[in-house]
Amino acid sequence: ATVQRMRAKGAAVLGVLGLLGLLALAQWNWFAAPLNRDEGEYAYSAWRMANGGVPYREAFLQKPPMILYTYWLAQRISDTASWPVRVAAFLFVAGTMGVVGWIAKRECGTRCAWAAMALFVPMASFPFLGCIPANTEKFMNLPMLAALALPLHGRGGARPWAWAAAGACAALALLYKPICLPILAFAFAVWLVETFREHGPRRAGMQVLAMASG
């Protein structure tokens, strides 16, 4: 039984590495491509901030501040190359694929998880011949899905840390792009109602406080 478990874990590791390799192969062509219009806006605001400027006052920026800080961190590697922020975006996409697989496994089983991650690779990589920018949605998806995944760790019976972490991830996603608010609000409302029905108002109140603390 121990040998079988080790073989299963080894096969799972190889499968994940294979999917990551396919994801990288599908997206490698845009790592060093020039920044597009939106990326240039974020990069310029981050560069101004790094040189003593004040975001939103000295340069027009349409999005919340997390994308600015993301580009600022990428520019600490190189403030002239485009690949650092593109690699950061790729890592976020890879993390999103992992969360998609975890949700699918939690809800539908292991086979569904592998199918979901395999489908994620082409869905996240189109168009193959075009530049896929390091935009706000690419960074927003990971904390948004993490916020949706954490409460599944026990649903209404999830521990306070899971709800606090979900709240923190939700805040992070909103600070990348508020477009995710309806999705997060609907999911949290459904889980809150489930908790209220199954465990009563006290547990539901603790759930709200845990999310708010995050």
Side-chain angles (χ1 to χ4, degrees), residues 143 146-147 150-151 155 158-172 188 206-214:
L150 283 162
R155 286 284 174 83
R159 295 183 178 181
W161 70 262
W163 287 106
C169 288
L172 186 62
F188 284 173
M206 292 175 61
Q207 179 175 307
V208 172
L209 289 174
M211 285 189 292
S213 69

Side-chain angles (χ1 to χ4, degrees), residues 175-188:
L175 287 173
Y176 271 115
K177 193 167 187 178
I179 194 174
C180 62
L181 178 60
I183 298 173
L184 293 170
F186 176 78
F188 284 173

